[in-house]
């Protein structure tokens, strides 16, 4: 008998929209009525709400997460002659934004359990580095789990570095109860439409604990102007659209519940994998489930397993129209465009192995129990 397809989408935002449709449309209508489309009251209001949610004193809306990383570094005067350390296992923008500032990206390997930048490897990188001053470290809160902030705080104290959070995947995440966005000197968020807090287009945010950095980020996002048409520095146009801010402010009100749903769904995946006898400590024995550090509040922007025969599993799921994705298939040090950094295969073995083994499964607040069951059943039948 032919197999009956039971598709499961990686992400279906139409379900989220159905639940908030009236609220969002009313907020958009308000912007249309005001005819203030860039910055203005809607952006001010979202910045205040976002700062409050992150327990950060300052928040600056901007055009994207990529721009937020650039703005954070530019505000901190990071530029030519400086080096910035980050992870090779992240989205491209984490490293490309360092180059865009004119600084030198240095990479360090990740922790094999959380996939986040390892503070120990950063320590070794600093000790081995000669030349440009290491001015900042950018840990990424990958998949929605904060990097080990105890270790990075200790590193900062010993080396006098700036810590910049790449919190693009982690709005609402926390470390020992302190939200992402209030951990580092600065943080960068992305509201790309697939993010756990998402706009209806591109949008981003910088948060900071410092009034000076806030002031500089605001100036730089608007062509370096403090006074209209007087350009103190060469900034950029990275203003946030009012419609995006209005949408984001509505969604922000729902985010705590959505993040709670993501945690519930992740816990249920764990149970289903265990019940199916698929969960294992290593990929030679089965599927390695994501691990949450007890100090972290995870928001499960992604639910990522390590899978044996990952590419074959991926193909099997895709043929059955079951959503899946690889974040990320090629570490940054092996990207063609970053050849100039001088790295080679084997330089970051933990990241390279992760790139071969990780597989993200469908997770979003409205994902149904029966859909999760279909995903896990399909993985069980792959092994059978
Ligand atoms: C870890 C990380 N950093 C930076 C970005 C860049 O954000 P954006 O796509 O909004 O420019 C993303 C998302 O795409 C990301 O996942």
């Amino acid at each position: 008998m032919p197999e009956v397809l039971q598709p499961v989408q990686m992400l279906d935002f139409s379900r989220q929209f159905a639940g908030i449709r009236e609220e969002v449309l009313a907020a958009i209508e308000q912007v249309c009525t005001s005819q203030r489309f860039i910055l203005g009251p809607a952006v001010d209001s979202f910045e205040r709400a976002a700062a409050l949610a992150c327990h950060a004193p300052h928040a600056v809306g901007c055009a994207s997460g990529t721009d937020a990383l650039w703005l954070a570094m530019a505000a901190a005067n990071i530029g030519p002659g400086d080096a910035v350390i980050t992870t090779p296992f992240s989205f491209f923008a984490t490293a490309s934004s360092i180059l865009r500032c004119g600084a030198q990206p240095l990479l360090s390997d990740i922790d094999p359990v959380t996939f986040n930048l390892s503070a120990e490897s950063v320590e070794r990188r600093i000790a081995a580095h000669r030349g440009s001053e290491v001015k900042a470290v950018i840990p990424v809160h990958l998949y929605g789990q904060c990097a080990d902030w105890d270790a990075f705080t200790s590193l900062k104290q010993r080396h006098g570095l700036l810590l910049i959070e790449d919190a693009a995947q982690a709005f609402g995440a926390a470390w020992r109860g302190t939200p992402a966005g209030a951990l580092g000197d600065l943080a960068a968020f992305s509201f790309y439409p697939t993010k756990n807090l998402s706009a209806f287009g591109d949008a981003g945010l910088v948060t900071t604990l410092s009034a000076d950095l806030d002031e500089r980020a605001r100036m730089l996002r608007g062509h370096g102007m403090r006074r209209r048409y007087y350009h103190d520095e060469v900034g950029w146009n990275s203003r946030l659209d009012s419609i995006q801010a209005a949408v984001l402010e509505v969604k922000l009100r729902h985010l705590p519940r959505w993040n709670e749903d993501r945690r519930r769904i992740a816990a249920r995946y764990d149970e289903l994998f265990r019940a199916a006898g698929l969960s294992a400590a290593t990929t030679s024995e089965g599927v390695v489930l994501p691990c949450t550090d007890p100090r972290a509040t995870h928001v499960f922007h992604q639910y990522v397993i390590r899978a044996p025969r990952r590419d074959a599993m991926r193909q099997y799921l895709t043929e059955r129209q079951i959503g899946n994705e690889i974040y990320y298939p090629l570490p940054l040090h092996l990207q063609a465009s970053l050849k100039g950094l001088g790295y080679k295969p084997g330089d970051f073995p933990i990241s390279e192995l992760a790139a071969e083994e990780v597989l993200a499964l469908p997770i979003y607040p409205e994902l149904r129990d029966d859909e999760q069951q279909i995903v896990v059943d399909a993985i069980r039948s792959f092994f059978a």
Side-chain angles (χ1 to χ4, degrees):
M1 220 171 55
E3 199 179 337
V4 180
L5 280 183
Q6 295 180 292
V8 180
Q9 287 191 58
M10 188 63 183
L11 196 56
D12 178 2
F13 267 126
S14 64
R15 296 184 195 176
Q16 181 189 82
F17 184 56
I20 56 171
R21 187 188 165 91
E22 302 312 322
E23 256 180 293
V24 167
L25 292 181
I28 292 175
E29 189 178 8
Q30 219 172 15
V31 174
C32 295
T33 305
S34 79
Q35 292 289 302
R36 291 286 303 273
F37 292 115
I38 289 172
L39 300 176
V43 171
D44 293 344
S45 175
F46 170 64
E47 287 177 343
R48 279 194 300 275
L52 207 64
C54 294
H55 300 187
H58 309 281
V60 184
C62 63
S64 69
T66 305
D67 270 12
L69 284 163
W70 162 73
L71 258 184
M73 280 182 272
N77 276 315
I78 290 170
D82 299 326
V84 177
I85 302 182
T86 194
T87 162
F89 196 58
S90 180
F91 180 62
F92 182 68
T94 309
S96 67
S97 57
I98 300 172
L99 287 168
R100 185 174 162 199
C101 286
Q104 179 192 8
L106 298 176
L107 301 175
S108 282
D109 217 344
I110 56 170
D111 175 89
V113 176
T114 63
F115 304 103
N116 278 327
L117 181 63
S118 150
E120 273 174 37
S121 81
V122 172
E123 185 97 61
R124 287 194 295 274
R125 192 76 188 82
I126 293 171
H129 180 65
R130 298 286 169 269
S132 48
E133 186 193 350
V134 178
K135 207 151 175 193
V137 179
I138 308 183
V140 180
H141 304 322
L142 200 69
Y143 307 146
Q145 171 164 226
C146 288
D148 179 346
W149 219 259
D150 292 2
F152 282 108
T153 304
S154 151
L155 192 82
K156 176 184 166 74
Q157 283 160 357
R158 278 176 289 113
H159 296 280
L161 302 157
L162 280 177
L163 293 180
I164 301 175
E165 303 168 61
D166 182 337
Q169 304 183 2
F171 207 109
W175 182 262
R176 290 190 188 275
T178 301
L183 294 165
D185 298 281
L186 294 135
F189 290 94
S190 163
F191 304 124
Y192 183 78
T194 59
K195 296 294 192 253
N196 70 320
L197 176 61
S198 61
F200 286 180
D202 274 313
L205 185 84
V206 175
T207 57
T208 176
L209 307 180
S210 150
D212 289 346
L213 293 173
D214 169 72
E215 194 276 331
R216 279 188 57 72
R218 277 175 203 286
M219 177 265 296
L220 289 165
R221 81 171 167 189
H223 285 296
M225 283 190 287
R226 290 189 171 90
R227 213 172 124 205
R228 204 167 167 77
Y229 303 128
Y230 291 81
H231 303 269
D232 300 338
E233 290 189 40
V234 180
W236 202 254
N237 168 12
S238 186
R239 299 173 301 231
L240 176 60
D241 288 349
S242 316
I243 284 180
Q244 301 304 346
V247 170
L248 285 164
E249 191 167 349
V250 169
K251 290 195 179 191
L252 185 57
R253 292 200 281 272
H254 298 270
L255 190 67
R257 183 170 45 83
W258 290 339
N259 282 342
E260 204 50 65
D261 286 340
R262 286 174 180 275
R263 281 189 283 273
R264 174 183 53 75
I265 291 165
R268 184 154 187 278
Y269 265 133
D270 289 351
E271 277 168 33
L272 293 175
F273 276 115
R274 289 200 183 101
L278 294 170
S279 160
T282 66
T283 46
S284 51
E285 300 154 82
V287 166
V288 180
L289 303 180
C291 187
T292 304
D293 187 303
R295 297 165 293 180
T297 307
H298 203 319
V299 290
F300 287 96
H301 173 55
Q302 299 296 344
Y303 182 89
V304 177
I305 58 170
R306 277 188 193 261
R309 294 189 287 132
R310 192 271 317 269
D311 291 339
M313 182 189 288
R314 175 161 209 223
Q315 191 184 343
Y316 186 87
L317 293 176
T318 305
E319 281 165 2
R320 281 154 189 78
Q321 294 178 24
I322 292 175
N324 64 84
E325 193 48 83
I326 299 171
Y327 304 109
Y328 295 91
L330 187 66
L332 299 178
H333 66 292
L334 304 179
Q335 297 287 346
S337 60
L338 298 180
K339 262 205 182 94
L341 299 183
Y343 294 109
K344 58 182 188 316
D347 281 349
F348 304 111
I350 306 174
S351 297
E352 289 169 33
L353 183 63
E356 285 169 21
E357 292 188 338
V358 293
L359 191 65
L361 301 177
I363 190 164
Y364 57 95
E366 301 80 13
L367 186 71
R368 297 190 313 263
D369 287 1
D370 62 303
E371 292 173 312
Q372 282 195 274
Q373 189 70 59
I374 292 166
V375 174
V376 176
D377 286 350
I379 292 175
R380 183 170 39 194
S381 69
F382 167 76
F383 284 116

